[in-house]
Amino acid sequence: MSSCLKYVSCRQHMTTEGNFWSKKIEISVSEAEKRTGRNAMNMQETYTAYLIETRSVEPSDGQSVLTDSLWRRYSEFELLRNYLLVFYPHIVVPPLPEKRAEFVWHKLSADNMDPDFVERRRIGLENFLLRVASHSVLSEDKIFYLFLTQENNWKETVNETGFQLKADSRLKALNATFRVKNPDKRFTELKHYGDELQSVISHLLRVRARVADRLYGVYKVHGNYGRVFSEWSAIEKEMGDGLQSAGHHMDVYAASIDDILEEEEHYADQLKEYLFYAEALRAVCRKHELMQYDLEMAAQDLASKKQQCEELATGTVRTFSLKGMTSKLFGQETPEQREARIKVLEEQISEGEEQLKCKNLEGREFVKAAWADIERFKEQKNHDLKEALISYAVMQISMCKKGIQVWTNAKECFSKM
Amino acid sequence: MDGESWVPQPFSPGPPGGAGGGGGSGGAGSGSGESPRDGRSAAVLMQPEVLDLDEDEDDLEVFSKDASLMDMNSFSPMMPTSPLSMINQYKFEDEPDLKDLFITVDDPESHITTIETFITYRVTTKTSRGEFDSSEFEVRRRYQDFLWLKGKLEEAHPTLIIPPLPEKFIMKGMVERFNDDFIETRRKALHKFLNRIADHPTLTFNEDFKVFLTAQAWELSSHKKQGPGLLSRMGQTVRAVASSVRGVKNRPDEFTEMNDYVGTFSHEINLIDKISHRIYKEEKEYLDEMREYGPTYTWWSASEEDLVDSLKVVASCIDKCCKATERRIFDLSETLLPVVHEYVLYSEILMGVMKRRDQIQAELDSKVEALNYKKVEKELLTEEIGKLEDKVECANNALKADWGRWKQNMQNDIKLAFTEMAEKNISYYEQCLATWESFLTTQTDLRLEEISEDKP
């Protein structure tokens, strides 16, 4: 608990000024509880619920008062996040802790009900809320406010926003990514960065888990010395005491790895957050590509309509058109018909030009806003990862100091044998 | 004396003088002093404070049973190999036991014949003892020769604790008999074996030991043939088995205690051997993973502008820790594993010694029983019993004395090995600690830089 607070303490007291928060707030996910209930298909299920407590802080004396307290389960967090993704596509939305335990080394279980996993998830959910609460844009969202304050019917309220319908289809996005011609280069680079970040952190987490596994083995085997030394000491008159006490230190050494690796899991969690942030980065890039593709398509459509109009007006047929073919087959159209068509096209063209102007503006605003958030994200990432590396070094130092202590004690026992 | 003269083979830096009968080619006049030995430093030769070596060759002990091989007259006091001419300047002041026999085993060489392939090791002996014809000897020996020596020692001293030889075969893993690591491990163990014999108050003066150290190859093989024949050796084995089947009824308590101790000791040391090997294996696997871990940070640094320095330093820290781990693993295999393994072998030897003692006692016991039943041959039996009683007493005393010595050595060896292991582990953690602490200082330096940059 203490190490998690240390990690998130700087974010706990962020000021949020907006519609809903009149004072500074503190958010904590303070408890996790196993519950049973009935799911959508009326089957019994077990799940974990998390207690979210919101406190407001008096600016005068720093006293905090509990203002809201409610229980939420993981799926509700997911709902909140999906909503934020749809309504704030220009924001790098903070990720949730992983749904299922991955990158586990052998001692950790991959079971979602495992208490250690639940505890780490609790910390991750708290971190998520703090990140949202400290974001200048996201913290002002009403649904987020209700998430923290309205226990009942919150789900219905979210669904009423219709965000599911607003969401871009995955297929559309994929199509845009392949066909867009002129995306902003910065976003393309960012996308590659996101891919790279995801690859490297995945690999890092996997190797780290294997290293942890091996380290666990080394420490634990030493514990066997403890037992054997103890047995051996029974038959030795002079060596007995030394063996016995050395054996005790071997036990201490073997036991010490549990705490060491538990702490390292926090480091892994910090890396995991940025692994998942990579996906959030890519989401923003995809949105840009989609908007850009949309823009390009609209421009293309407008251009072709203009050309059609011109051809009709001048009577030259430079491009192939169905109308041209049919008129060749079935006879020319009348001048009145042609006029009508030109008029329709001119209307469409002026509409199209308006739309294009809008889209252009939207696109530029999106790029501006997104890039601002990306710069914010970059600074946050650099800061957090530097801190994470430092905390990793601190863990290693602590492990080394423990090792020196134990082996110094053991050496003394051995030399007294 | 026959005409054939034996010239002690001097220590020479040239090609090892081992194969074949090269040794016998030296003439009688070997005292010409042609070999330039003056300048050579016998650095390991430690002279006793008082040099009481006899230069008079008549007092030199003939160290081979076959006098035809020895020609003492060929030894001239003028030969520069006399220890007096090579007074060593180094004196170890606090040395209680003045060591006068130094043996090294090195330089394994492969020999290929039509029948077989085998390895020989160079055995170099330096001594100031008068009973040796020379002060330096160099011979080549193969594993079989060591086995022979061990057998002879066991024969001559059935209730002394003869040091262990490395195993004939490696049980698991290695198929290749002549794998480098295997040869090196064996070489070290053979070196230890001979040195332990040299340090033993009784065994060090054993004749066969002397022959082993000094005889040329063909001399050794002819010497070997002189021992009790195969049939008599088999007879001994049969008797040993028979007596162990009969069991020992009158074993004195102290030997029963010894037996119990040996049983438990054997169990524990075997476990420690297993544990130590397991630690070695786990550490190697840890090292393998760590070797992939560091480079991942370097890979990451390639895509991060602002974090590139921190990430690169982390990668280098991990690499330094890898090097420290390599050293830790190496130290484990050099200091702890061989010692523990030697005592695993010792525990088997102890069991053998206990059995042999029991067997000697059983011989006596059976004769005593026979005395009770047989009315005839009483005198003869009584005489035999007397002899056997002496034998038993000798064996028991020898064992008791050697047992005390063995326990003392064991305590020292185990204590030293584990203390060293602890030291190496401390040093390992200290190295890693220094690495990570230096990383922290680079980061705090950067931070201070950043803070000063941010200040308006």
Side-chain angles (χ1 to χ4, degrees), chain A residues 219-220 222-227 229 243 245-256 406-407 410-411 414, chain B residues 279 418 421-422 425:
Chain A
Y219 273 74
K220 286 298 177 189
H222 279 87
N224 290 314
Y225 274 146
R227 180 176 57 86
F229 282 174
L243 272 177
S245 44
H248 162 72
H249 293 298
M250 292 297 100
D251 288 333
V252 169
Y253 183 68
S256 68
V406 165
W407 284 105
K411 178 180 162 187
F414 287 135
Chain B
I279 289 175
F418 275 103
M421 174 185 84
N425 281 334

PDB file of all heavy atoms in Angstrom, chain A residues 219-220 222-227 229 243 245-256 406-407 410-411 414, chain B residues 279 418 421-422 425:
ATOM      1  N   TYR A 219      17.381 -17.894  -5.278  1.00  0.00           N
ATOM      2  CA  TYR A 219      17.193 -17.615  -3.852  1.00  0.00           C
ATOM      3  C   TYR A 219      16.584 -18.806  -3.123  1.00  0.00           C
ATOM      4  O   TYR A 219      17.041 -19.178  -2.038  1.00  0.00           O
ATOM      5  CB  TYR A 219      16.294 -16.394  -3.671  1.00  0.00           C
ATOM      6  CG  TYR A 219      17.028 -15.071  -3.671  1.00  0.00           C
ATOM      7  CD1 TYR A 219      17.525 -14.528  -4.847  1.00  0.00           C
ATOM      8  CD2 TYR A 219      17.204 -14.358  -2.490  1.00  0.00           C
ATOM      9  CE1 TYR A 219      18.188 -13.313  -4.845  1.00  0.00           C
ATOM     10  CE2 TYR A 219      17.863 -13.134  -2.485  1.00  0.00           C
ATOM     11  CZ  TYR A 219      18.347 -12.617  -3.660  1.00  0.00           C
ATOM     12  OH  TYR A 219      19.002 -11.413  -3.660  1.00  0.00           O
ATOM     13  N   LYS A 220      15.566 -19.394  -3.716  1.00  0.00           N
ATOM     14  CA  LYS A 220      14.840 -20.437  -2.997  1.00  0.00           C
ATOM     15  C   LYS A 220      15.674 -21.696  -2.781  1.00  0.00           C
ATOM     16  O   LYS A 220      15.555 -22.357  -1.745  1.00  0.00           O
ATOM     17  CB  LYS A 220      13.540 -20.797  -3.738  1.00  0.00           C
ATOM     18  CG  LYS A 220      12.464 -19.740  -3.599  1.00  0.00           C
ATOM     19  CD  LYS A 220      12.041 -19.537  -2.158  1.00  0.00           C
ATOM     20  CE  LYS A 220      11.027 -18.419  -2.035  1.00  0.00           C
ATOM     21  NZ  LYS A 220      10.742 -18.038  -0.659  1.00  0.00           N
ATOM     22  N   HIS A 222      18.740 -21.836  -2.140  1.00  0.00           N
ATOM     23  CA  HIS A 222      19.586 -21.610  -0.971  1.00  0.00           C
ATOM     24  C   HIS A 222      18.871 -21.985   0.322  1.00  0.00           C
ATOM     25  O   HIS A 222      19.512 -22.352   1.299  1.00  0.00           O
ATOM     26  CB  HIS A 222      20.027 -20.144  -0.898  1.00  0.00           C
ATOM     27  CG  HIS A 222      21.189 -19.819  -1.777  1.00  0.00           C
ATOM     28  ND1 HIS A 222      21.050 -19.464  -3.089  1.00  0.00           N
ATOM     29  CD2 HIS A 222      22.519 -19.823  -1.528  1.00  0.00           C
ATOM     30  CE1 HIS A 222      22.245 -19.242  -3.617  1.00  0.00           C
ATOM     31  NE2 HIS A 222      23.156 -19.455  -2.695  1.00  0.00           N
ATOM     32  N   GLY A 223      17.566 -21.884   0.305  1.00  0.00           N
ATOM     33  CA  GLY A 223      16.812 -22.246   1.497  1.00  0.00           C
ATOM     34  C   GLY A 223      17.038 -23.690   1.900  1.00  0.00           C
ATOM     35  O   GLY A 223      16.977 -24.039   3.084  1.00  0.00           O
ATOM     36  N   ASN A 224      17.329 -24.544   0.925  1.00  0.00           N
ATOM     37  CA  ASN A 224      17.582 -25.953   1.246  1.00  0.00           C
ATOM     38  C   ASN A 224      18.817 -26.125   2.116  1.00  0.00           C
ATOM     39  O   ASN A 224      18.891 -27.051   2.927  1.00  0.00           O
ATOM     40  CB  ASN A 224      17.762 -26.770  -0.041  1.00  0.00           C
ATOM     41  CG  ASN A 224      16.462 -26.910  -0.788  1.00  0.00           C
ATOM     42  OD1 ASN A 224      15.437 -27.215  -0.186  1.00  0.00           O
ATOM     43  ND2 ASN A 224      16.470 -26.673  -2.075  1.00  0.00           N
ATOM     44  N   TYR A 225      19.780 -25.221   1.939  1.00  0.00           N
ATOM     45  CA  TYR A 225      20.965 -25.263   2.800  1.00  0.00           C
ATOM     46  C   TYR A 225      20.540 -25.199   4.265  1.00  0.00           C
ATOM     47  O   TYR A 225      21.100 -25.887   5.120  1.00  0.00           O
ATOM     48  CB  TYR A 225      21.884 -24.072   2.520  1.00  0.00           C
ATOM     49  CG  TYR A 225      22.871 -24.250   1.389  1.00  0.00           C
ATOM     50  CD1 TYR A 225      23.216 -23.169   0.590  1.00  0.00           C
ATOM     51  CD2 TYR A 225      23.480 -25.470   1.131  1.00  0.00           C
ATOM     52  CE1 TYR A 225      24.128 -23.298  -0.440  1.00  0.00           C
ATOM     53  CE2 TYR A 225      24.389 -25.613   0.095  1.00  0.00           C
ATOM     54  CZ  TYR A 225      24.719 -24.518  -0.689  1.00  0.00           C
ATOM     55  OH  TYR A 225      25.616 -24.643  -1.707  1.00  0.00           O
ATOM     56  N   GLY A 226      19.544 -24.364   4.519  1.00  0.00           N
ATOM     57  CA  GLY A 226      19.102 -24.161   5.899  1.00  0.00           C
ATOM     58  C   GLY A 226      18.719 -25.468   6.559  1.00  0.00           C
ATOM     59  O   GLY A 226      19.173 -25.804   7.657  1.00  0.00           O
ATOM     60  N   ARG A 227      17.894 -26.213   5.849  1.00  0.00           N
ATOM     61  CA  ARG A 227      17.405 -27.472   6.398  1.00  0.00           C
ATOM     62  C   ARG A 227      18.554 -28.454   6.605  1.00  0.00           C
ATOM     63  O   ARG A 227      18.692 -29.076   7.664  1.00  0.00           O
ATOM     64  CB  ARG A 227      16.361 -28.044   5.432  1.00  0.00           C
ATOM     65  CG  ARG A 227      15.746 -29.358   5.865  1.00  0.00           C
ATOM     66  CD  ARG A 227      14.639 -29.780   4.882  1.00  0.00           C
ATOM     67  NE  ARG A 227      15.098 -29.895   3.514  1.00  0.00           N
ATOM     68  CZ  ARG A 227      15.664 -30.980   2.990  1.00  0.00           C
ATOM     69  NH1 ARG A 227      15.829 -32.041   3.743  1.00  0.00           N
ATOM     70  NH2 ARG A 227      16.060 -30.995   1.726  1.00  0.00           N
ATOM     71  N   PHE A 229      21.862 -27.910   6.767  1.00  0.00           N
ATOM     72  CA  PHE A 229      22.810 -27.470   7.792  1.00  0.00           C
ATOM     73  C   PHE A 229      22.276 -27.812   9.177  1.00  0.00           C
ATOM     74  O   PHE A 229      23.022 -28.227  10.066  1.00  0.00           O
ATOM     75  CB  PHE A 229      23.035 -25.956   7.690  1.00  0.00           C
ATOM     76  CG  PHE A 229      23.965 -25.547   6.586  1.00  0.00           C
ATOM     77  CD1 PHE A 229      24.162 -24.204   6.309  1.00  0.00           C
ATOM     78  CD2 PHE A 229      24.644 -26.491   5.825  1.00  0.00           C
ATOM     79  CE1 PHE A 229      25.025 -23.805   5.289  1.00  0.00           C
ATOM     80  CE2 PHE A 229      25.498 -26.095   4.808  1.00  0.00           C
ATOM     81  CZ  PHE A 229      25.690 -24.745   4.529  1.00  0.00           C
ATOM     82  N   LEU A 243      27.119 -24.037  11.890  1.00  0.00           N
ATOM     83  CA  LEU A 243      26.257 -24.557  10.814  1.00  0.00           C
ATOM     84  C   LEU A 243      24.813 -24.147  11.033  1.00  0.00           C
ATOM     85  O   LEU A 243      24.129 -23.692  10.120  1.00  0.00           O
ATOM     86  CB  LEU A 243      26.343 -26.084  10.775  1.00  0.00           C
ATOM     87  CG  LEU A 243      27.443 -26.712   9.936  1.00  0.00           C
ATOM     88  CD1 LEU A 243      27.391 -28.222  10.091  1.00  0.00           C
ATOM     89  CD2 LEU A 243      27.290 -26.350   8.477  1.00  0.00           C
ATOM     90  N   SER A 245      23.485 -21.688  12.816  1.00  0.00           N
ATOM     91  CA  SER A 245      23.173 -20.268  12.620  1.00  0.00           C
ATOM     92  C   SER A 245      23.341 -19.849  11.166  1.00  0.00           C
ATOM     93  O   SER A 245      22.581 -19.013  10.675  1.00  0.00           O
ATOM     94  CB  SER A 245      23.982 -19.391  13.562  1.00  0.00           C
ATOM     95  OG  SER A 245      25.316 -19.818  13.604  1.00  0.00           O
ATOM     96  N   ALA A 246      24.323 -20.440  10.484  1.00  0.00           N
ATOM     97  CA  ALA A 246      24.461 -20.135   9.056  1.00  0.00           C
ATOM     98  C   ALA A 246      23.205 -20.575   8.317  1.00  0.00           C
ATOM     99  O   ALA A 246      22.715 -19.883   7.412  1.00  0.00           O
ATOM    100  CB  ALA A 246      25.682 -20.829   8.471  1.00  0.00           C
ATOM    101  N   GLY A 247      22.703 -21.725   8.718  1.00  0.00           N
ATOM    102  CA  GLY A 247      21.491 -22.244   8.094  1.00  0.00           C
ATOM    103  C   GLY A 247      20.323 -21.293   8.244  1.00  0.00           C
ATOM    104  O   GLY A 247      19.539 -21.088   7.298  1.00  0.00           O
ATOM    105  N   HIS A 248      20.248 -20.686   9.414  1.00  0.00           N
ATOM    106  CA  HIS A 248      19.182 -19.712   9.634  1.00  0.00           C
ATOM    107  C   HIS A 248      19.277 -18.567   8.634  1.00  0.00           C
ATOM    108  O   HIS A 248      18.277 -18.118   8.062  1.00  0.00           O
ATOM    109  CB  HIS A 248      19.265 -19.203  11.076  1.00  0.00           C
ATOM    110  CG  HIS A 248      18.529 -17.933  11.303  1.00  0.00           C
ATOM    111  ND1 HIS A 248      17.152 -17.869  11.334  1.00  0.00           N
ATOM    112  CD2 HIS A 248      18.957 -16.665  11.470  1.00  0.00           C
ATOM    113  CE1 HIS A 248      16.775 -16.632  11.528  1.00  0.00           C
ATOM    114  NE2 HIS A 248      17.846 -15.874  11.607  1.00  0.00           N
ATOM    115  N   HIS A 249      20.506 -18.100   8.403  1.00  0.00           N
ATOM    116  CA  HIS A 249      20.671 -16.984   7.465  1.00  0.00           C
ATOM    117  C   HIS A 249      20.335 -17.393   6.038  1.00  0.00           C
ATOM    118  O   HIS A 249      19.843 -16.579   5.241  1.00  0.00           O
ATOM    119  CB  HIS A 249      22.094 -16.428   7.561  1.00  0.00           C
ATOM    120  CG  HIS A 249      22.376 -15.777   8.871  1.00  0.00           C
ATOM    121  ND1 HIS A 249      21.667 -14.677   9.295  1.00  0.00           N
ATOM    122  CD2 HIS A 249      23.244 -16.074   9.858  1.00  0.00           C
ATOM    123  CE1 HIS A 249      22.093 -14.330  10.492  1.00  0.00           C
ATOM    124  NE2 HIS A 249      23.046 -15.155  10.859  1.00  0.00           N
ATOM    125  N   MET A 250      20.586 -18.662   5.712  1.00  0.00           N
ATOM    126  CA  MET A 250      20.202 -19.152   4.386  1.00  0.00           C
ATOM    127  C   MET A 250      18.692 -19.084   4.233  1.00  0.00           C
ATOM    128  O   MET A 250      18.178 -18.742   3.167  1.00  0.00           O
ATOM    129  CB  MET A 250      20.692 -20.585   4.173  1.00  0.00           C
ATOM    130  CG  MET A 250      22.202 -20.722   4.078  1.00  0.00           C
ATOM    131  SD  MET A 250      22.925 -19.855   2.684  1.00  0.00           S
ATOM    132  CE  MET A 250      23.541 -18.384   3.468  1.00  0.00           C
ATOM    133  N   ASP A 251      17.979 -19.404   5.303  1.00  0.00           N
ATOM    134  CA  ASP A 251      16.512 -19.316   5.263  1.00  0.00           C
ATOM    135  C   ASP A 251      16.068 -17.876   5.043  1.00  0.00           C
ATOM    136  O   ASP A 251      15.150 -17.603   4.261  1.00  0.00           O
ATOM    137  CB  ASP A 251      15.912 -19.844   6.572  1.00  0.00           C
ATOM    138  CG  ASP A 251      16.031 -21.353   6.683  1.00  0.00           C
ATOM    139  OD1 ASP A 251      16.075 -22.010   5.629  1.00  0.00           O
ATOM    140  OD2 ASP A 251      16.090 -21.859   7.819  1.00  0.00           O
ATOM    141  N   VAL A 252      16.740 -16.970   5.742  1.00  0.00           N
ATOM    142  CA  VAL A 252      16.403 -15.544   5.599  1.00  0.00           C
ATOM    143  C   VAL A 252      16.627 -15.100   4.161  1.00  0.00           C
ATOM    144  O   VAL A 252      15.797 -14.414   3.562  1.00  0.00           O
ATOM    145  CB  VAL A 252      17.261 -14.693   6.573  1.00  0.00           C
ATOM    146  CG1 VAL A 252      17.131 -13.217   6.247  1.00  0.00           C
ATOM    147  CG2 VAL A 252      16.844 -14.955   8.000  1.00  0.00           C
ATOM    148  N   TYR A 253      17.763 -15.529   3.614  1.00  0.00           N
ATOM    149  CA  TYR A 253      18.087 -15.178   2.232  1.00  0.00           C
ATOM    150  C   TYR A 253      17.009 -15.675   1.287  1.00  0.00           C
ATOM    151  O   TYR A 253      16.518 -14.924   0.445  1.00  0.00           O
ATOM    152  CB  TYR A 253      19.454 -15.778   1.882  1.00  0.00           C
ATOM    153  CG  TYR A 253      19.965 -15.455   0.504  1.00  0.00           C
ATOM    154  CD1 TYR A 253      20.333 -14.161   0.159  1.00  0.00           C
ATOM    155  CD2 TYR A 253      20.126 -16.449  -0.458  1.00  0.00           C
ATOM    156  CE1 TYR A 253      20.826 -13.864  -1.112  1.00  0.00           C
ATOM    157  CE2 TYR A 253      20.611 -16.157  -1.717  1.00  0.00           C
ATOM    158  CZ  TYR A 253      20.967 -14.872  -2.040  1.00  0.00           C
ATOM    159  OH  TYR A 253      21.456 -14.587  -3.292  1.00  0.00           O
ATOM    160  N   ALA A 254      16.639 -16.939   1.446  1.00  0.00           N
ATOM    161  CA  ALA A 254      15.639 -17.527   0.549  1.00  0.00           C
ATOM    162  C   ALA A 254      14.303 -16.815   0.675  1.00  0.00           C
ATOM    163  O   ALA A 254      13.609 -16.613  -0.324  1.00  0.00           O
ATOM    164  CB  ALA A 254      15.476 -19.018   0.869  1.00  0.00           C
ATOM    165  N   ALA A 255      13.952 -16.416   1.889  1.00  0.00           N
ATOM    166  CA  ALA A 255      12.656 -15.778   2.083  1.00  0.00           C
ATOM    167  C   ALA A 255      12.628 -14.358   1.537  1.00  0.00           C
ATOM    168  O   ALA A 255      11.569 -13.850   1.170  1.00  0.00           O
ATOM    169  CB  ALA A 255      12.304 -15.775   3.570  1.00  0.00           C
ATOM    170  N   SER A 256      13.794 -13.728   1.456  1.00  0.00           N
ATOM    171  CA  SER A 256      13.824 -12.307   1.096  1.00  0.00           C
ATOM    172  C   SER A 256      13.370 -12.032  -0.324  1.00  0.00           C
ATOM    173  O   SER A 256      12.976 -10.917  -0.669  1.00  0.00           O
ATOM    174  CB  SER A 256      15.236 -11.748   1.303  1.00  0.00           C
ATOM    175  OG  SER A 256      16.134 -12.322   0.368  1.00  0.00           O
ATOM    176  N   VAL A 406      22.882 -10.377   4.603  1.00  0.00           N
ATOM    177  CA  VAL A 406      22.701 -11.808   4.867  1.00  0.00           C
ATOM    178  C   VAL A 406      24.009 -12.571   4.736  1.00  0.00           C
ATOM    179  O   VAL A 406      24.365 -13.390   5.596  1.00  0.00           O
ATOM    180  CB  VAL A 406      21.651 -12.403   3.903  1.00  0.00           C
ATOM    181  CG1 VAL A 406      21.717 -13.910   3.902  1.00  0.00           C
ATOM    182  CG2 VAL A 406      20.265 -11.949   4.281  1.00  0.00           C
ATOM    183  N   TRP A 407      24.748 -12.299   3.661  1.00  0.00           N
ATOM    184  CA  TRP A 407      25.965 -13.064   3.453  1.00  0.00           C
ATOM    185  C   TRP A 407      27.070 -12.678   4.428  1.00  0.00           C
ATOM    186  O   TRP A 407      27.933 -13.493   4.761  1.00  0.00           O
ATOM    187  CB  TRP A 407      26.437 -12.948   1.996  1.00  0.00           C
ATOM    188  CG  TRP A 407      25.596 -13.785   1.097  1.00  0.00           C
ATOM    189  CD1 TRP A 407      24.631 -13.355   0.233  1.00  0.00           C
ATOM    190  CD2 TRP A 407      25.578 -15.220   1.014  1.00  0.00           C
ATOM    191  NE1 TRP A 407      24.025 -14.414  -0.376  1.00  0.00           N
ATOM    192  CE2 TRP A 407      24.582 -15.573   0.082  1.00  0.00           C
ATOM    193  CE3 TRP A 407      26.305 -16.234   1.642  1.00  0.00           C
ATOM    194  CZ2 TRP A 407      24.307 -16.902  -0.257  1.00  0.00           C
ATOM    195  CZ3 TRP A 407      26.027 -17.555   1.307  1.00  0.00           C
ATOM    196  CH2 TRP A 407      25.038 -17.873   0.366  1.00  0.00           C
ATOM    197  N   ALA A 410      26.132 -14.680   7.350  1.00  0.00           N
ATOM    198  CA  ALA A 410      26.450 -16.086   7.099  1.00  0.00           C
ATOM    199  C   ALA A 410      27.957 -16.315   7.189  1.00  0.00           C
ATOM    200  O   ALA A 410      28.417 -17.312   7.759  1.00  0.00           O
ATOM    201  CB  ALA A 410      25.921 -16.501   5.725  1.00  0.00           C
ATOM    202  N   LYS A 411      28.706 -15.364   6.633  1.00  0.00           N
ATOM    203  CA  LYS A 411      30.163 -15.529   6.638  1.00  0.00           C
ATOM    204  C   LYS A 411      30.686 -15.595   8.060  1.00  0.00           C
ATOM    205  O   LYS A 411      31.558 -16.425   8.383  1.00  0.00           O
ATOM    206  CB  LYS A 411      30.802 -14.349   5.899  1.00  0.00           C
ATOM    207  CG  LYS A 411      32.326 -14.408   5.885  1.00  0.00           C
ATOM    208  CD  LYS A 411      32.911 -13.231   5.146  1.00  0.00           C
ATOM    209  CE  LYS A 411      34.374 -13.073   5.529  1.00  0.00           C
ATOM    210  NZ  LYS A 411      34.965 -11.870   4.978  1.00  0.00           N
ATOM    211  N   PHE A 414      30.014 -18.999   9.367  1.00  0.00           N
ATOM    212  CA  PHE A 414      30.917 -19.982   8.783  1.00  0.00           C
ATOM    213  C   PHE A 414      32.302 -19.869   9.405  1.00  0.00           C
ATOM    214  O   PHE A 414      32.947 -20.871   9.714  1.00  0.00           O
ATOM    215  CB  PHE A 414      31.035 -19.774   7.267  1.00  0.00           C
ATOM    216  CG  PHE A 414      29.824 -20.203   6.496  1.00  0.00           C
ATOM    217  CD1 PHE A 414      29.305 -19.381   5.500  1.00  0.00           C
ATOM    218  CD2 PHE A 414      29.196 -21.416   6.750  1.00  0.00           C
ATOM    219  CE1 PHE A 414      28.189 -19.768   4.777  1.00  0.00           C
ATOM    220  CE2 PHE A 414      28.071 -21.811   6.036  1.00  0.00           C
ATOM    221  CZ  PHE A 414      27.563 -20.976   5.045  1.00  0.00           C
TER     222      PHE A 414
ATOM    223  N   ILE B 279      22.192 -24.765  -7.371  1.00  0.00           N
ATOM    224  CA  ILE B 279      22.389 -23.316  -7.339  1.00  0.00           C
ATOM    225  C   ILE B 279      23.198 -22.888  -8.558  1.00  0.00           C
ATOM    226  O   ILE B 279      22.884 -21.893  -9.214  1.00  0.00           O
ATOM    227  CB  ILE B 279      23.107 -22.895  -6.036  1.00  0.00           C
ATOM    228  CG1 ILE B 279      22.159 -23.059  -4.856  1.00  0.00           C
ATOM    229  CG2 ILE B 279      23.613 -21.468  -6.122  1.00  0.00           C
ATOM    230  CD1 ILE B 279      22.795 -22.778  -3.518  1.00  0.00           C
ATOM    231  N   PHE B 418      32.987 -22.622   2.566  1.00  0.00           N
ATOM    232  CA  PHE B 418      31.758 -21.849   2.734  1.00  0.00           C
ATOM    233  C   PHE B 418      32.034 -20.388   3.060  1.00  0.00           C
ATOM    234  O   PHE B 418      31.317 -19.496   2.614  1.00  0.00           O
ATOM    235  CB  PHE B 418      30.860 -22.486   3.803  1.00  0.00           C
ATOM    236  CG  PHE B 418      30.000 -23.583   3.254  1.00  0.00           C
ATOM    237  CD1 PHE B 418      30.307 -24.912   3.480  1.00  0.00           C
ATOM    238  CD2 PHE B 418      28.899 -23.284   2.469  1.00  0.00           C
ATOM    239  CE1 PHE B 418      29.524 -25.921   2.947  1.00  0.00           C
ATOM    240  CE2 PHE B 418      28.103 -24.292   1.930  1.00  0.00           C
ATOM    241  CZ  PHE B 418      28.423 -25.613   2.169  1.00  0.00           C
ATOM    242  N   MET B 421      32.765 -18.833  -0.166  1.00  0.00           N
ATOM    243  CA  MET B 421      31.545 -18.647  -0.936  1.00  0.00           C
ATOM    244  C   MET B 421      30.790 -17.421  -0.446  1.00  0.00           C
ATOM    245  O   MET B 421      30.322 -16.601  -1.239  1.00  0.00           O
ATOM    246  CB  MET B 421      30.646 -19.888  -0.839  1.00  0.00           C
ATOM    247  CG  MET B 421      29.312 -19.638  -1.529  1.00  0.00           C
ATOM    248  SD  MET B 421      28.112 -20.957  -1.365  1.00  0.00           S
ATOM    249  CE  MET B 421      27.377 -20.593   0.194  1.00  0.00           C
ATOM    250  N   ALA B 422      30.705 -17.286   0.878  1.00  0.00           N
ATOM    251  CA  ALA B 422      30.014 -16.122   1.433  1.00  0.00           C
ATOM    252  C   ALA B 422      30.715 -14.840   1.005  1.00  0.00           C
ATOM    253  O   ALA B 422      30.080 -13.858   0.611  1.00  0.00           O
ATOM    254  CB  ALA B 422      29.956 -16.224   2.949  1.00  0.00           C
ATOM    255  N   ASN B 425      29.962 -14.007  -2.541  1.00  0.00           N
ATOM    256  CA  ASN B 425      28.609 -13.483  -2.667  1.00  0.00           C
ATOM    257  C   ASN B 425      28.534 -12.041  -2.203  1.00  0.00           C
ATOM    258  O   ASN B 425      27.865 -11.209  -2.823  1.00  0.00           O
ATOM    259  CB  ASN B 425      27.626 -14.355  -1.878  1.00  0.00           C
ATOM    260  CG  ASN B 425      27.274 -15.613  -2.626  1.00  0.00           C
ATOM    261  OD1 ASN B 425      27.328 -15.663  -3.843  1.00  0.00           O
ATOM    262  ND2 ASN B 425      26.919 -16.661  -1.915  1.00  0.00           N
TER     263      ASN B 425
END
